[in-house]
Amino acid sequence: MVNLAFKDLFHKKGKFALIILGLSFSIFFVQYSAGMFNGVLTTSTDILDKFKFDVWIREEDSDNFLDGGFVNETVYDDVKMMKNVNHAERLILIGAEAEDEERTTFCYFIGCDINNPDHEIGPWDVTKGNEGLLFENNTVMVDESIKDYFDLKINDLLKIGNVWMKIVGFCKNAKFMFNGYIFASIETVRSLTPWARDWITTVAINLDEDYTIEEFEDDVGDDISHHLEVLSTKELKENTHDMIINEGGLGGSIYIMVGMGFFVALIILSVTMYQSIQEKIPVFGTLKAIGASKGYINKMLLGQVFIYITLSFILGTILAMLLSFLAGAIPIIVELQTSIILYIAFLLMGLVCSSVTIIKVHRIDPAIVFK
Amino acid sequence: MSDSEIIRLNDISKHYGTGDILVKALKNAELMMKKGEVALLMGPSGAGKTTLLSVMGLLLHPTSGEIIFNDKIYNRKTRQKIMTETRRNSIGFIFQAFNLVESLNVIQNVEIMYKIGKLEKKGYKKKCKEILEMLQMGHRLKHASKDLSGGERQRVAIARALINEPMLIMADEPTGNLDSENGRIIGEYFRKIANERGTTILIATHDERLKFCADRIIHMEDGEILK
């Protein structure tokens, strides 16, 4: 049977396409912003998600991955000897400049405990080479974003923090926020600081099954934990995200961008619906005169808003996903869960827009048909 | 109310505005129409024809008085929902400007009555087609309404008004936008519908040529029905 909501929308195809385009763009803007927010947060703590450790030791006041802080290697030596510590691993995570003759970019170094036969932290999603090649000093594996930026090939040299290092492999999806990771052995990373030999930034620890983090904290004692922070994975993750959102200013920027996207969509939809009603006052008057119920009119208007939002949401999301593949340097993760929440939020916004127009239509006097 | 009566107006008044700008559009109107009767409502502009049509068609509440339609009483307190239901099930409307939905084709403009109301949906397509064929529109079922001539549009509007098998049809200047030939055809259809279906038809018009199809002419002036 004829569906007036559909017919009416598609009757003026050019206008319909323009409205969909405008809405899609604002939804794309929101999805892209939300995707960037997700991407930055996710990549900032990728190590925590990929390698399952119970506890992390960092320098005092460096309780997140954005703050660099040095921990003496003796802490690692002491911790690994502790009873109930199942496994301990050294890690260096610091920022460094990578450059060739023409270009410079900022990267993050991960110094992995390659010499530890039980080590877990190492390059992930390797596309070329293998981490065994990192045993050799001044060799590195880099994320493909760095490879593409410098147009690197295996065995090329790249100057990192003033030391020329040989590329022995590539990996993908290895980024800390906007910057690619460079994987190397702890010794290679230390070659950047010849004045300080025995430093690391983090000790990653797995505890025995029945041994709690609180018990570990108590047992670590003042000798080891002096000027150090003992953090659970959850705490380190929360601190890092909190730092990015609040102190890094990402939260405010994203909220403004998402808000703007919603505002633009709200304006487009409100103006569209209002204009549509203004143009169709005689049609609605006729429908009311010939007996259309309030329910029918509500369903028709809500149906139109639903079609506008659903089609635009699909287009906007596809556009955001396409651009996330093309964006390269920017980590954009369009998540299903976030998308569902945004879709519901857009539908609610549509409900607000349509409720205003529904009220306006209900106020149309059916007797206008005789005027 | 006798068996042959379909609608009766008892002392109906309709006022707009208040105080100094009070307009008495209808003054104590009394009117009765029988089943199958075709009446022309004539009078100068501003006589109150449109208001009478709106009140009789249950589009407007009267300020005072009551309408007895199909043995039910409607007055200023009748709920809007009841009036809407009655219009949907028992009254058909025909307008000077045809008021077809531009985005729908000919048959869809008739089918829309099934969509908006609780009409029996079984066999609705066949029924819509039959009515349009009766009105000589069978060859134009899939045409866009904007591509039709004025006479054809008015025939589609008549089909829409008839599809719910109304007891009463309210027509406002139905030939106002038509040439004499199409005006005559529409008049003939009104007569046929009243004779064959027993539908009561009230036509507000200035068109003297429609007199041939009417059983009665009701004259109005200054909001009053002239005796």
Side-chain angles (χ1 to χ4, degrees):
Chain A
M1 187 173 284
V2 56
N3 186 321
L4 188 53
F6 269 105
K7 287 277 177 187
D8 192 47
L9 275 187
F10 300 128
H11 182 55
K12 290 183 177 167
K13 293 184 182 68
K15 183 182 166 193
F16 177 73
L18 269 179
I19 294 162
I20 290 286
L21 205 66
L23 281 174
S24 299
F25 185 75
S26 58
I27 288 169
F28 154 74
F29 195 66
V30 170
Q31 278 281 41
Y32 194 80
S33 308
M36 191 159 72
F37 185 74
N38 269 335
V40 167
L41 291 189
T42 305
T43 57
S44 72
T45 49
D46 250 358
I47 292 180
L48 300 177
D49 295 324
K50 287 187 189 297
F51 307 103
K52 304 293 180 194
F53 286 90
D54 299 321
V55 190
W56 304 74
I57 294 180
R58 306 260 305 162
E59 191 190 34
E60 194 174 33
D61 300 327
S62 300
D63 61 355
N64 64 80
F65 276 143
L66 264 72
D67 290 332
F70 294 140
V71 174
N72 196 291
E73 197 170 66
T74 55
V75 174
Y76 162 71
D77 294 331
D78 292 340
V79 166
K80 75 175 174 184
M81 300 306 289
M82 281 176 67
K83 208 173 121 186
N84 297 320
V85 168
N86 182 277
H87 171 66
E89 197 168 322
R90 301 172 300 165
L91 174 72
I92 294 178
L93 179 62
I94 55 162
E97 293 255 308
E99 58 186 298
D100 63 4
E101 288 78 7
E102 296 165 5
R103 290 153 292 192
T104 304
T105 189
F106 189 78
C107 309
Y108 277 91
F109 242 129
I110 295 189
C112 313
D113 202 355
I114 299 289
N115 291 316
N116 179 347
D118 299 324
H119 79 277
E120 291 178 19
I121 300 174
W124 60 82
D125 292 354
V126 174
T127 56
K128 205 159 196 181
N130 64 72
E131 70 169 39
L133 300 166
L134 297 176
F135 277 110
E136 195 182 325
N137 269 349
N138 294 346
T139 56
V140 293
M141 290 178 77
V142 301
D143 178 60
E144 288 194 341
S145 61
I146 302 171
K147 174 194 156 199
D148 294 340
Y149 184 76
F150 290 108
D151 194 20
L152 295 171
K153 292 182 282 298
I154 296 291
N155 294 329
D156 278 356
L157 294 176
L158 185 65
K159 195 175 178 185
I160 305 166
N162 283 328
V163 178
W164 286 97
M165 299 198 182
K166 190 167 83 174
I167 308 296
V168 294
F170 301 114
C171 49
K172 61 181 181 182
N173 307 319
K175 277 183 179 168
F176 185 84
M177 301 197 291
F178 301 102
N179 309 102
Y181 273 130
I182 297 172
F183 293 91
S185 67
I186 281 182
E187 288 67 30
T188 295
V189 182
R190 281 176 179 166
S191 68
L192 301 177
T193 56
W195 62 90
R197 298 299 302 169
D198 300 328
W199 62 277
I200 50 176
T201 62
T202 312
V203 182
I205 301 152
N206 266 328
L207 305 174
D208 283 344
E209 226 170 70
D210 298 329
Y211 189 55
T212 64
I213 296 170
E214 290 73 29
E215 285 172 317
F216 173 74
E217 277 183 285
D218 290 343
D219 293 347
V220 161
D222 289 342
D223 288 347
I224 298 178
S225 67
H226 189 58
H227 296 308
L228 296 174
E229 297 257 7
V230 176
L231 302 153
S232 66
T233 299
K234 188 170 172 254
E235 284 172 328
L236 184 53
K237 197 171 188 173
E238 282 174 359
N239 292 346
T240 304
H241 290 177
D242 190 48
M243 184 73 182
I244 294 168
I245 294 168
N246 298 322
E247 296 187 38
L250 181 72
S253 315
I254 296 292
Y255 296 146
I256 289 170
M257 285 162 79
V258 169
M260 274 173 63
F262 267 98
F263 183 68
V264 171
L266 184 79
I267 297 291
I268 293 173
L269 205 56
S270 303
V271 170
T272 301
M273 294 304 287
Y274 185 80
Q275 194 200 10
S276 173
I277 300 307
Q278 286 294 104
E279 281 174 7
K280 296 197 182 77
I281 285 177
V283 175
F284 283 108
T286 305
L287 287 175
K288 290 179 85 171
I290 63 177
S293 63
K294 280 185 176 183
Y296 174 78
I297 289 171
N298 293 354
K299 258 196 276 181
M300 181 184 158
L301 294 171
L302 288 171
Q304 291 192 340
V305 168
F306 179 78
I307 293 166
Y308 273 133
I309 288 178
T310 304
L311 277 182
S312 308
F313 198 85
I314 292 168
L315 282 178
T317 304
I318 289 172
L319 201 61
M321 288 169 90
L322 275 179
L323 247 80
S324 71
F325 288 116
L326 301 174
I330 306 167
I332 295 160
I333 300 173
V334 179
E335 280 184 328
L336 180 66
Q337 196 185 347
T338 313
S339 296
I340 290 170
I341 292 168
L342 286 176
Y343 179 59
I344 291 169
F346 271 103
L347 282 181
L348 288 175
M349 183 205 71
L351 200 65
V352 173
C353 289
S354 42
S355 56
V356 175
T357 48
I358 281 169
I359 291 168
K360 188 166 170 58
V361 170
H362 287 323
R363 284 186 182 158
I364 294 173
D365 182 355
I368 61 159
V369 290
F370 285 143
K371 285 172 188 165
Chain B
M1 197 169 178
S2 73
D3 281 353
S4 63
E5 272 184 45
I6 189 71
I7 189 164
R8 176 182 284 275
L9 306 189
N10 285 338
D11 200 20
I12 289 286
S13 293
K14 179 67 186 175
H15 301 165
Y16 297 105
T18 52
D20 290 344
I21 53 162
L22 180 74
V23 177
K24 293 182 176 179
L26 268 185
K27 297 171 193 164
N28 311 102
E30 300 272 353
L31 181 67
M32 185 277 285
M33 288 188 77
K34 293 179 190 162
K35 279 180 188 167
E37 184 182 9
V38 177
L40 296 189
L41 183 60
M42 303 189 91
S45 294
K49 300 190 296 292
T50 300
T51 305
L52 183 70
L53 226 54
S54 299
V55 172
M56 276 181 82
L58 304 181
L59 292 168
L60 282 179
H61 283 94
T63 307
S64 63
E66 62 181 22
I67 303 145
I68 304 170
F69 173 56
N70 192 28
D71 293 330
K72 292 193 180 72
I73 296 172
Y74 302 85
N75 55 31
R76 68 187 179 88
K77 288 182 178 171
T78 305
R79 287 171 58 204
Q80 191 66 56
K81 194 181 169 189
I82 306 284
M83 308 237 298
T84 304
E85 272 173 21
T86 308
R87 288 200 304 270
R88 185 166 61 223
N89 296 325
S90 311
I91 304 176
F93 292 93
I94 296 165
F95 314 102
Q96 180 176 0
F98 323 123
N99 292 26
L100 299 181
V101 182
E102 208 184 298
S103 55
L104 303 181
N105 65 25
V106 167
I107 194 159
Q108 288 167 341
N109 260 290
V110 183
E111 284 174 14
I112 191 77
M113 288 302 295
Y114 286 91
K115 193 77 184 173
I116 64 165
K118 290 170 184 159
L119 299 180
E120 171 59 49
K121 289 187 173 63
K122 196 179 167 191
Y124 76 92
K125 266 210 183 290
K126 193 175 164 219
K127 201 174 164 198
C128 292
K129 212 174 147 192
E130 278 171 4
I131 281 204
L132 284 162
E133 277 166 358
M134 182 195 95
L135 293 159
Q136 311 293 311
M137 288 300 294
H139 62 300
R140 294 277 208 175
L141 297 181
K142 300 285 179 188
H143 278 67
S145 51
K146 65 179 168 53
D147 295 337
L148 303 177
S149 69
E152 287 174 325
R153 286 186 200 201
Q154 198 58 295
R155 278 184 274 160
V156 178
I158 292 171
R160 181 179 65 191
L162 286 178
I163 197 73
N164 58 347
E165 295 172 11
M167 296 170 192
L168 180 66
I169 286 180
M170 300 274 127
D172 182 37
E173 298 284 2
T175 58
N177 285 344
L178 303 179
D179 57 33
S180 58
E181 176 60 13
N182 274 305
R184 186 187 57 75
I185 292 170
I186 296 300
E188 283 172 1
Y189 278 127
F190 284 144
R191 190 65 264 172
K192 191 178 170 195
I193 291 160
N195 291 346
E196 290 178 6
R197 296 171 175 247
T199 310
T200 305
I201 303 173
L202 180 63
I203 307 165
T205 186
H206 290 102
D207 190 349
E208 300 276 342
R209 293 168 302 178
L210 277 176
K211 283 180 179 171
F212 80 91
C213 70
D215 298 310
R216 178 160 63 127
I217 298 171
I218 300 161
H219 288 282
M220 282 194 78
E221 207 168 315
D222 298 330
E224 288 179 37
I225 294 174
L226 303 180
K227 303 287 182 193

